[in-house]
Amino acid sequence: MIVLETTRLYLRNWRETDRDLFREINRDPKVMEFFPFRRSREDADALMDKVTSMIADTGLGFYAVADKVTDEAMGFCGLSPAGLPDILPDDAIEIGWRLATRFWGNGYVTEAARALCHFGFDNKGLHEIFSFAVEANTRSIAVMQRIGMSAVENGAFDHPRIPDTHPGLKRHVLYRKTPQTAPE
């Protein structure tokens, strides 16, 4: 199921042939630098199955980002419930991404995220989209800024799902985009 396409990319549901890539991005220390753990093969498989089902059931989730020419999955970018009820509204939708390192530096995440913001507002009727990242995650924050998101004033928060054993990963910045936000 192709959710949408851009000039160079398909954003689609995951396929069994993408499983190795999904495992790779969830265990790579560079990709997971700002997360408190790497996923085992079993945990990555379970997460991929959950994401695949969510996309099939709701149309939302972290879609596979695939090269339009080869259909090779490179990572993910998607819209998903944020699941941070004490920080964001219960129905808040976040945009997030993760890409295998060999595909970094080509603008794929920015291209996919821009398209997904338009899709969220135009096709899914969203009124706002959030994104958050560890304060030191300058790469993700730069993507947020490139796609026209704005930092939420006084929006920084300690992520409740980050264990106290990783204090350097707890503090997150919060960004937001609305349909009225200046075009990127």
Side-chain angles (χ1 to χ4, degrees):
M1 164 175 117
I2 295 175
V3 176
L4 62 99
E5 63 182 272
T6 69
T7 304
R8 302 180 294 166
L9 307 170
Y10 287 128
L11 278 74
R12 59 168 172 75
N13 206 343
W14 293 89
R15 299 178 183 150
E16 193 58 36
T17 55
D18 302 327
R19 198 165 289 276
D20 286 341
L21 180 279
F22 197 87
R23 292 171 183 148
E24 173 189 339
I25 63 175
N26 280 283
R27 73 170 179 263
D28 184 305
K30 286 183 183 177
V31 174
M32 300 297 287
E33 175 182 3
F34 297 104
F35 293 86
F37 58 87
R38 313 301 170 256
R39 284 192 170 82
S40 68
R41 179 184 180 96
E42 295 76 20
D43 290 344
D45 284 349
L47 180 60
M48 182 177 150
D49 293 342
K50 179 180 175 182
V51 170
T52 301
S53 293
M54 175 189 245
I55 293 168
D57 293 346
T58 69
L60 292 177
F62 294 114
Y63 316 107
V65 173
D67 182 285
K68 223 167 148 175
V69 175
T70 65
D71 201 33
E72 176 187 13
M74 299 183 276
F76 68 70
C77 188
L79 300 168
S80 185
L84 293 170
D86 294 334
I87 296 158
L88 296 172
D90 288 343
D91 62 348
I93 299 294
E94 71 164 299
I95 187 167
W97 44 80
R98 202 171 296 162
L99 207 63
T101 56
R102 65 185 172 279
F103 300 108
W104 287 8
N106 294 296
Y108 295 130
V109 168
T110 300
E111 183 176 328
R114 280 186 178 137
L116 278 170
C117 285
H118 291 292
F119 174 76
F121 296 134
D122 299 342
N123 296 80
K124 293 294 185 181
L126 301 178
H127 302 290
E128 59 189 353
I129 297 171
F130 293 94
S131 192
F132 44 89
V134 172
E135 284 180 324
N137 189 345
T138 56
R139 290 185 307 269
S140 281
I141 293 167
V143 172
M144 294 175 203
Q145 293 168 345
R146 281 195 297 272
I147 65 173
M149 299 188 97
S150 299
V152 174
E153 189 174 338
N154 299 315
F157 65 95
D158 287 342
H159 200 298
R161 291 190 301 266
I162 303 296
D164 291 338
T165 55
H166 293 81
L169 301 178
K170 284 191 82 69
R171 197 71 177 161
H172 279 59
V173 295
L174 179 65
Y175 277 68
R176 177 177 176 261
K177 185 174 176 73
T178 67
Q180 296 78 30
T181 304
E184 62 279 352

